[in-house]
Amino acid sequence: MILNCIPVSVGASPTRLLSDKRTTLSQVRQIHAYFIKTKLITHALSVAKLVNVLSQSSVPYDAISVFVHALSGFHGIRGVEFFVPPTLKACGKSCAFEEGKQIMGFILKTHLWNDPFVTNSLVRMCLELGMVELARSVFDKMPTRDLISWNSLLSGYLKAGQIDMAREVFERMPQRDLVSCNTMIDGYGKHGFCELAEEVFMDMGVRDVVTWTSMISAFVLNHQPKKGLCLFREMLSLGVRPDAPAVVSVLSAIADLGFVEEGKWIHDYIVCNKMLHSYSFIGSALINMYAKCGQIENAYDVFRSICHRRNVGDWNSMISGLALHGLAREAIELFQEMEREKLKPDDITFLGLLNACNHGGLKDEGQLYFETMQMKYKIVPKIQHYGCIVDLLGRSGCLEQALEVIHDMPFEPDVLIWKAILSASMKHNDVVLGHTAALRAIELAPQDSSCYVLLSNIFAKMGRWNEVNEVRLMMRKRGVRKIPGCSSILVDGKVHQFLVGKALNEGYNQSVLLKLEEVVYKLKSEGYEPDLDEVFLDIEECEKESQLILHSEKLALAFALSSVPEGVPIHIVKNLRICCDCHTFMQLVSKIYKRQIIVRDQNRFHHFSKGSCSCRNYW
């Protein structure tokens, strides 16, 4: 018993124990009992430590109970200012609004209202409880405001998504420090205002590692991975040592770009600086990066080197990576190994597993694991899990069953679920259901061009050109523009991009087109026939073939055949789903030219080798 170690006459020993991070909650409660027994409950500094420890524990409400008990034993209120701030923190963490309001009334009636440490804590409590207007009211009436007061309000507005109010506070601040600017960069980045975050970053005369990390993260979150990677390199060149969040952000940027050479360099940096085993989440980020860059073997090697840590996040990253590559059976085997190791899966585990079944066409297994997560592991499915099941059933042709899942789920279907039904309708030629799903999707996401394009394609597939024109007219009226197909390839450290019909670097256009012409001729001599059903335009057959041949991934492949040495895999990243004709084209090139081709499209990876694809023509 810990009480046996505490001298009865001296309060220093239990106070020291409260400062020890190894002290358990059970021991803290024993110390509380000891304080009551020895009258230390009326000793302000001792109570303050006890309240502070409890406010940071798994039961923060206990801190409020201690506060009430201690206050009732005080003859005056001298020393109360030491334990009011941690009690306010406990109110915020416990969502104890009524108790917080009573403490606020107590503060307003006493000298505590003139103590900035107390009033700053009061502002933070209001913000923690989501009472932003009340926090502003307290802030405006505070007798004394310091930099902490301003930063607290700034952070609260950003957390609540009130960007305009945060900007007003930021511009009114009598002085700013690194915390102010870093908070603003982080807030702008998380809410999609990357340009404003960059303005704050560029205006800063002094930056710390948090500044750089926040800006890199802002670029990555706002789909500007190239800028994030460049800023990381600049950070290193200036001698700023990146922290773990910066490394995770740059790994995410590389994963988005899909080019593994940069990722291998970062991996070396992590190993040299002994970061892999110091921060558990870096391992998960490395697995994710390698998987998204097409290097599933490297991802697996990293996983096996760290899986002994029994971190569920590592297993989740590996299962999701296998799913991305269509390795459904391998994902299931890894999940079964996870169960044998007595590791408890979470909702992310099952999301990866359901995605694996979806990409692998394993309908029965997907339904089984959807049931297992609920019945065996008592995990309540989120809308993403329902989305996977709807997509799985739709792809398999079970459209009525997919609609039953939508009808029975406890959520309103989101745009992704209706797009899954729309895609399935396109695949299985159900115009009526496709039209209904498209209208629902467009209602939820009126600026998402893919909803209109899929609906237009369904009509085009059925030869209903008047309806096609109506959809396109709707897009023009609403200012919605179709996202052009774009494919990228990294050669000699430089990214080369191709749009439909052209290279973004005009200097390559002629040579690429000539190479493509040569490849098409060779493939046709081996039996290739362009799939003209993939051209959803009301034009002549010869024009359809010209349109089809100039798809961006074919241009990227033609460039790669001239630029990537034989024996080296060709990696292509496509921003949209690869079409059936391009898929067949890649298979034939892999066979005739004896090349390994890896394509990452919008949804998954395709590994082409010897005339076949890892997806087994199911995608």
Side-chain angles (χ1 to χ4, degrees):
M1 287 283 288
I2 194 171
L3 291 183
N4 296 335
C5 303
I6 301 174
V8 176
S9 58
V10 184
S13 185
T15 305
R16 278 201 304 272
L17 281 167
L18 288 172
S19 302
D20 190 337
K21 291 181 180 179
R22 295 169 296 178
T23 303
T24 66
L25 181 61
S26 173
Q27 290 171 329
V28 170
R29 284 175 169 157
Q30 289 182 58
I31 292 170
H32 180 201
Y34 177 77
F35 277 8
I36 294 170
K37 184 178 178 181
T38 59
K39 308 295 184 186
L40 273 173
I41 199 69
T42 59
H43 186 271
L45 290 177
S46 298
V47 172
K49 283 209 169 187
L50 179 60
V51 171
N52 189 50
V53 169
L54 287 170
S55 73
Q56 297 176 64
S57 73
S58 58
V59 284
Y61 193 86
D62 284 7
I64 302 170
S65 302
V66 171
F67 170 80
V68 173
H69 186 190
L71 200 63
S72 64
F74 273 60
H75 299 298
I77 58 169
R78 188 177 175 183
V80 173
E81 65 272 14
F82 295 117
F83 56 90
V84 167
T87 306
L88 291 169
K89 181 179 181 179
C91 290
K93 288 183 70 177
S94 307
C95 299
F97 176 66
E98 287 303 320
E99 292 85 342
K101 203 161 64 169
Q102 290 178 41
I103 296 172
M104 184 169 73
F106 171 70
I107 291 167
L108 289 169
K109 293 174 185 176
T110 64
H111 71 285
L112 298 176
W113 180 240
N114 295 304
D115 187 332
F117 186 48
V118 172
T119 49
N120 286 339
S121 300
L122 183 57
V123 169
R124 282 195 293 269
M125 179 202 73
C126 294
L127 293 169
E128 187 75 24
L129 291 168
M131 311 297 290
V132 181
E133 290 182 10
L134 181 59
R136 182 58 186 260
S137 176
V138 171
F139 175 86
D140 288 339
K141 294 172 182 174
M142 284 168 62
T144 306
R145 288 192 289 266
D146 57 16
L147 192 52
I148 294 172
S149 318
W150 288 91
N151 283 339
S152 297
L153 188 64
L154 182 67
S155 179
Y157 275 133
L158 289 168
K159 188 177 178 181
Q162 297 186 26
I163 304 301
D164 289 340
M165 294 303 295
R167 191 173 188 178
E168 178 250 327
V169 169
F170 187 68
E171 290 174 352
R172 277 188 55 207
M173 291 179 75
Q175 65 179 105
R176 300 169 187 161
D177 61 359
L178 275 170
V179 173
S180 319
C181 296
N182 292 346
T183 301
M184 208 63 192
I185 292 169
D186 182 65
Y188 275 148
K190 285 177 178 173
H191 290 92
F193 297 93
C194 196
E195 289 182 5
L196 294 176
E198 199 170 1
E199 281 181 19
V200 175
F201 179 82
M202 296 305 293
D203 287 342
M204 292 174 68
V206 178
R207 301 172 184 140
D208 63 3
V209 65
V210 177
T211 315
W212 290 90
T213 301
S214 299
M215 194 64 243
I216 291 167
S217 177
F219 282 134
V220 175
L221 286 172
N222 289 278
H223 315 294
Q224 298 181 49
K226 281 186 188 176
K227 281 192 171 185
L229 184 55
C230 288
L231 195 63
F232 183 80
R233 286 187 172 279
E234 183 184 342
M235 176 186 185
L236 290 178
S237 70
L238 293 172
V240 181
R241 183 183 173 87
D243 57 7
V247 170
V248 169
S249 288
V250 81
L251 285 172
S252 180
I254 293 164
D256 287 346
L257 291 167
F259 302 125
V260 77
E261 287 82 357
E262 295 284 359
K264 287 179 177 177
W265 174 78
I266 299 294
H267 189 178
D268 288 341
Y269 179 88
I270 290 167
V271 172
C272 289
N273 288 276
K274 298 179 173 56
M275 300 178 81
L276 183 57
H277 297 286
S278 301
Y279 305 95
S280 60
F281 49 88
I282 285 183
S284 301
L286 261 179
I287 295 167
N288 179 61
M289 181 275 294
Y290 275 124
K292 288 187 175 178
C293 288
Q295 303 279 326
I296 195 66
E297 296 86 0
N298 286 13
Y300 190 75
D301 289 343
V302 172
F303 169 73
R304 282 301 171 199
S305 73
I306 60 175
C307 64
H308 62 276
R309 300 186 309 190
R310 301 180 61 80
N311 176 23
V312 173
D314 299 335
W315 293 75
N316 289 349
S317 293
M318 194 65 240
I319 289 171
S320 297
L322 292 167
L324 193 62
H325 287 261
L327 300 170
R329 294 293 178 191
E330 290 83 348
I332 289 172
E333 286 173 13
L334 192 62
F335 174 73
Q336 291 170 344
E337 182 185 340
M338 188 179 181
E339 288 189 307
R340 288 194 298 273
E341 292 289 331
K342 308 295 184 194
L343 274 170
K344 188 176 180 182
D346 58 18
D347 61 312
I348 299 171
T349 313
F350 282 99
L351 192 58
L353 202 55
L354 292 175
N355 267 318
C357 294
N358 193 3
H359 288 313
L362 306 180
K363 179 172 75 73
D364 294 339
E365 290 85 343
Q367 290 179 293
L368 171 66
Y369 285 118
F370 187 63
E371 185 178 333
T372 298
M373 71 178 286
Q374 298 172 76
M375 304 304 293
K376 181 177 179 179
Y377 291 102
K378 310 301 179 189
I379 297 172
V380 179
K382 296 180 179 177
I383 195 164
Q384 293 91 336
H385 299 94
Y386 282 101
C388 281
I389 287 295
V390 168
D391 197 21
L392 174 62
L393 293 169
R395 285 172 187 246
S396 304
C398 305
L399 289 165
E400 288 298 324
Q401 207 174 338
L403 289 173
E404 286 176 15
V405 171
I406 293 174
H407 180 267
D408 294 340
M409 69 184 193
F411 311 98
E412 284 297 314
D414 63 6
V415 65
L416 294 178
I417 286 179
W418 286 119
K419 281 169 73 173
I421 293 293
L422 180 51
S423 295
S425 303
M426 170 79 176
K427 182 177 181 179
H428 299 288
N429 300 318
D430 192 329
V431 179
V432 175
L433 179 57
H435 188 219
T436 301
L439 292 179
R440 295 289 186 89
I442 288 168
E443 183 182 346
L444 291 167
Q447 294 302 306
D448 185 344
S449 65
S450 64
C451 306
Y452 300 88
V453 171
L454 282 168
L455 178 59
S456 173
N457 290 351
I458 290 176
F459 288 138
K461 199 174 181 181
M462 307 303 291
R464 293 165 59 170
W465 299 109
N466 287 336
E467 283 93 335
V468 170
N469 291 330
E470 286 175 9
V471 174
R472 289 176 181 165
L473 180 62
M474 190 193 307
M475 289 178 72
R476 282 196 294 273
K477 283 182 177 178
R478 296 183 178 184
V480 179
R481 298 183 66 181
K482 179 183 175 181
I483 298 171
C486 179
S487 295
S488 307
I489 183 167
L490 183 70
V491 177
D492 296 330
K494 183 179 179 183
V495 177
H496 303 269
Q497 292 183 305
F498 301 85
L499 293 175
V500 177
K502 66 175 182 179
L504 286 182
N505 183 333
E506 297 292 336
Y508 292 118
N509 267 339
Q510 197 57 38
S511 61
V512 169
L513 292 173
L514 285 171
K515 182 64 179 180
L516 183 56
E517 189 179 319
E518 173 205 309
V519 174
V520 172
Y521 178 80
K522 195 167 184 178
L523 263 58
K524 281 187 173 181
S525 68
E526 296 286 337
Y528 166 63
E529 286 291 337
D531 184 358
L532 302 184
D533 289 339
E534 287 293 310
V535 181
F536 303 107
L537 297 170
D538 189 14
I539 55 178
E540 298 297 325
E541 299 286 292
C542 60
E543 291 181 86
K544 285 187 177 183
E545 182 171 337
S546 297
Q547 287 277 336
L548 204 57
I549 294 302
L550 295 175
H551 278 192
S552 65
E553 54 266 61
K554 291 189 178 87
L555 291 168
L557 180 59
F559 175 77
L561 289 171
S562 300
S563 309
V564 178
E566 290 187 18
V568 177
I570 294 169
H571 289 259
I572 297 170
V573 178
K574 172 79 185 288
N575 68 330
L576 303 175
R577 179 182 180 272
I578 188 171
C579 76
C580 292
D581 183 72
C582 287
H583 194 270
T584 301
F585 192 89
M586 298 285 171
Q587 285 178 308
L588 286 170
V589 169
S590 74
K591 178 183 178 182
I592 294 165
Y593 284 83
K594 296 181 174 58
R595 300 299 296 262
Q596 184 184 356
I597 304 164
I598 301 168
V599 177
R600 186 182 91 179
D601 74 3
Q602 187 181 36
N603 301 316
R604 58 169 297 160
F605 274 92
H606 299 266
H607 294 254
F608 300 95
S609 180
K610 299 177 182 178
S612 63
C613 179
S614 59
C615 74
R616 300 185 300 279
N617 297 328
Y618 183 89
W619 83 101

